[in-house]
Amino acid sequence: AQSVAQPEDQVNVAEGNPLTVKCTYSVSGNPYLFWYVQYPNRGLQFLLKYITGDNLVKGSYGFEAEFNKSQTSFHLKKPSALVSDSALYFCAVRAPGSARQLTFGSGTQLTVLP
Amino acid sequence: NAGVMQNPRHLVRRRGQEARLRCSPMKGHSHVYWYRQLPEEGLKFMVYLQKENIIDESGMPKERFSAEFPKEGPSILRIQQVVRGDSAAYFCASSPPSSEAFFGQGTRLTVV
């Protein structure tokens, strides 16, 4: 069975500083990996995905994520945080060739302090 | 192209009543997924449907919950005889055959 771990419930960062939201995964075979963001009382918005190819994936709103197969990680990063980036971030995994549903991590609340 | 549309956005039901949650996928999307988000938790997969077929319902509770995606019309998640523990946000997502899923804004069910 596949699983995702987001080891930090909460991440605080000052505006303008770089941010990292951590994610590790466990899946059989080569994973499909995703990041979604959820603003209060809203649905999830897709940020980026890794299927194959370059390990560094660029997504929406200046976010990027680095796939590291040896560490089974897919950390989300942004060089310079904005207050408006404050939200709940979810990492998700899907095993290739299987049913298409996503397995989500428990989420990380990002707070960017002005 | 409108996004995934869920209605109602908020639903209040008394214990023992039925809840019907509707999801209209994005145009051209033939795959629909339902997820449940309990307070302070991540999303848990419930069911995956294609038109007129349930592909995977491994995340659905064995009793009181059912889902359908008819040939015409929205996908429906139905919860019979609701209990307080059913209170949650229910999210629908849709996708074309080989792309990422797009999520609706959710239906927040409150059982009183």
Side-chain angles (χ1 to χ4, degrees), chain A residues 34 36 38-46 49 88 90 94 99-107, chain B residues 9 31 33 35 37 41-43 45 48 56 58 91 95-101 103-105 108:
Chain A
F34 304 82
Y36 286 84
Q38 184 180 31
Y39 295 97
N41 298 315
R42 302 290 296 275
L44 275 72
Q45 295 180 29
F46 170 77
K49 66 181 178 183
L88 187 57
F90 290 99
R94 176 165 80 85
R100 298 169 51 84
Q101 65 268 24
L102 298 169
T103 298
F104 283 87
S106 55
Chain B
R9 292 289 307 279
H31 302 249
Y33 317 82
Y35 293 82
Q37 185 179 32
E41 293 188 15
L43 280 76
F45 167 75
Y48 161 39
D56 184 340
S58 59
F91 289 97
S95 74
S98 57
S99 181
E100 67 272 9
F103 283 77
Q105 295 199 0
R108 279 158 181 80

Side-chain angles (χ1 to χ4, degrees), chain B residues 8 11-13 23-24 32 43 47-48 66 89-90 94 101:
Chain B
L11 181 61
V12 179
R13 284 289 177 266
C23 170
S24 296
V32 166
L43 280 76
V47 62
Y48 161 39
S66 63
Y90 292 83
S94 73

